[in-house]
Amino acid sequence: MSLYVYCLGDELSESAFGGLTGVCGAAVRVLSLKGRLSAVVSAAPAEPVAVSEENLQAHNRVNAAALAASTPLPFRFGTRAAHERLAEYAATNEAALAGALARVRGTVEMGVKLLSKAEGEGRKAEGGSEGGPEDLASAEAAVGRGTAFLLKKRREALGGEEARLRAEGLAAWLAEGVAGLARESAVWVSPSEAIVVRAAHLVGREGVEEYRARLRGLRAARTGLRLLASGPWPPYSFSEISGQNHPR
Amino acid sequence: MADVDNILDEDEELSLLETLDHVIDHGLVIAGEVTISVAGVDLIFLGLNVLLGSVETVERVLGERERRVELLLGMVPRAALAPKTAAGGGPADEGE
């Protein structure tokens, strides 16, 4: 029988999920696997699980219920496996899973996204840095077509470098802002995208309120920035056992 | 449900997007055991590096691989392979 799998832990109790339904409305239960390891599962539907609002919320609702009692390792949405396969996975990776559970014990994941409000406006305000047709025409008149083209390319390259430095500066600013509270961080920097910095922080449960207060302080300090905070989440960004959780 | 302390107006939509962002892209993975369906198209994640492609594509590629192995072992005539490989194409679309 194929099972839909929500999370894995060593402190999971059936009582945390009393009456809770999961993906596709199936009843949720705790399945013992290996040693103290157990998983939260429900009967898997015959078809691949649709990425619908209902199913996404159900997946996270079950993991949130687990998180309310202890910190589990959440599985990625759509994970399904036969009981035997799941038991084999737990047995094969027992030490790594125990290590991962120890790493997240007593913590929750908090998320932050930084969006630059003044990205477009800032560029316009600088004047002459857009490299538009009019700029190019006037530059051509002054220095010649080839030189104007190369000057435009130079400006674009410098602009990209500037954006990268700015994004990395924001990431460093955020890291400094939550220093001492974020036990671990996973940070993704995307200078050319609307969300310039995405960060996940592993925060001790006792530090969540102070973490939020710090973020409020950071938000107030930079009004030209949109700071979007979410959490607490099960440690989705800190659960993989391959060592690939930290892009940087 | 995790609470979202946001500065935008679309609370519910934002909350859903945050959930999507967390549960689709992160978490424990058992190789080959993540199968989802987006807008009626079945997708499969393989391994921890998240190779993402349609189930149909993956099955076709795996089928071709099996036929090649059988061919090498002399289990099927060479003619049986030709029409199948004509479709070509790489294994699956790579995710991140």
Side-chain angles (χ1 to χ4, degrees):
Chain A
M1 179 186 171
S2 186
L3 300 168
Y4 185 92
V5 196
Y6 299 89
C7 61
L8 189 147
D10 55 6
E11 297 176 308
L12 294 170
S13 163
E14 200 85 49
S15 62
F17 310 97
L20 197 62
T21 55
V23 168
C24 297
V28 171
R29 64 191 170 98
V30 176
L31 184 70
S32 291
L33 294 174
K34 167 79 176 171
R36 296 185 61 199
L37 291 175
S38 52
V40 181
V41 302
S42 63
E47 299 298 316
V49 182
V51 181
S52 64
E53 176 174 359
E54 192 180 8
N55 285 337
L56 289 167
Q57 303 287 26
H59 179 92
N60 193 58
R61 186 171 59 238
V62 173
N63 283 336
L67 183 71
S70 62
T71 306
L73 298 176
F75 277 96
R76 190 175 295 222
F77 178 84
T79 301
R80 50 200 293 158
H83 185 172
E84 299 74 28
R85 176 80 175 99
L86 198 54
E88 178 197 339
Y89 172 79
T92 306
N93 299 289
E94 188 177 10
L97 290 168
L101 282 165
R103 174 183 169 208
V104 301
R105 200 177 310 282
T107 69
V108 294
E109 176 175 327
M110 302 297 285
V112 182
K113 288 184 170 75
L114 300 180
L115 297 84
S116 181
K117 271 184 189 171
E119 187 67 23
E121 296 143 26
R123 272 197 213 120
K124 282 175 191 164
E126 285 167 14
S129 63
E130 288 282 288
E134 289 174 16
D135 297 329
L136 202 56
S138 61
E140 277 178 20
V143 296
R145 197 168 183 178
T147 305
F149 175 77
L150 289 172
L151 284 171
K152 176 174 173 283
K153 300 303 280 181
R154 179 174 179 271
R155 277 198 300 273
E156 286 173 359
L158 288 176
E161 178 66 6
E162 192 179 299
R164 185 183 66 79
L165 289 172
R166 181 171 179 276
E168 288 184 353
L170 285 175
W173 168 75
L174 176 63
E176 192 179 333
V178 298
L181 286 173
R183 295 188 191 176
E184 291 187 37
S185 303
V187 183
W188 296 265
V189 178
S190 310
S192 59
E193 293 178 15
I195 300 173
V196 183
V197 175
R198 287 191 301 134
H201 296 131
L202 200 57
V203 179
R205 288 170 187 255
E206 72 289 348
V208 168
E209 282 314 308
E210 189 183 344
Y211 174 89
R212 284 179 168 148
R214 293 257 197 106
L215 289 189
R216 282 194 289 274
L218 291 176
R219 183 181 291 163
R222 287 214 181 183
T223 51
L225 198 66
R226 282 179 172 171
L227 190 153
L228 180 65
S230 69
W233 298 92
Y236 285 103
S237 304
F238 303 93
S239 288
E240 290 171 7
I241 55 173
S242 65
Q244 297 175 353
N245 293 317
H246 307 288
R248 59 178 294 242
Chain B
M1 178 62 213
D3 93 28
V4 178
D5 176 20
N6 70 82
I7 58 162
L8 303 177
D9 295 325
E10 305 85 352
D11 287 11
E12 285 186 17
E13 189 177 344
L14 192 63
S15 172
L16 178 63
L17 287 174
E18 281 293 327
T19 303
L20 183 68
D21 195 25
H22 279 81
V23 309
I24 288 284
D25 207 23
H26 304 285
L28 275 177
V29 175
I30 305 177
E33 304 288 355
V34 180
T35 314
I36 60 174
S37 170
V38 180
V41 178
D42 295 346
L43 303 169
I44 186 168
F45 288 80
L46 292 174
L48 293 171
N49 291 327
V50 193
L51 176 67
L52 174 63
S54 76
V55 169
E56 188 183 22
T57 306
V58 173
E59 283 180 347
R60 177 171 55 76
V61 171
L62 292 177
E64 283 173 11
R65 186 180 298 168
E66 279 175 17
R67 279 190 293 278
R68 284 174 185 278
V69 171
E70 288 170 355
L71 179 70
L72 285 171
L73 296 175
M75 293 164 65
V76 293
R78 180 170 289 275
L81 185 66
K84 303 289 184 184
T85 52
D93 303 322
E94 279 195 28
E96 51 175 35

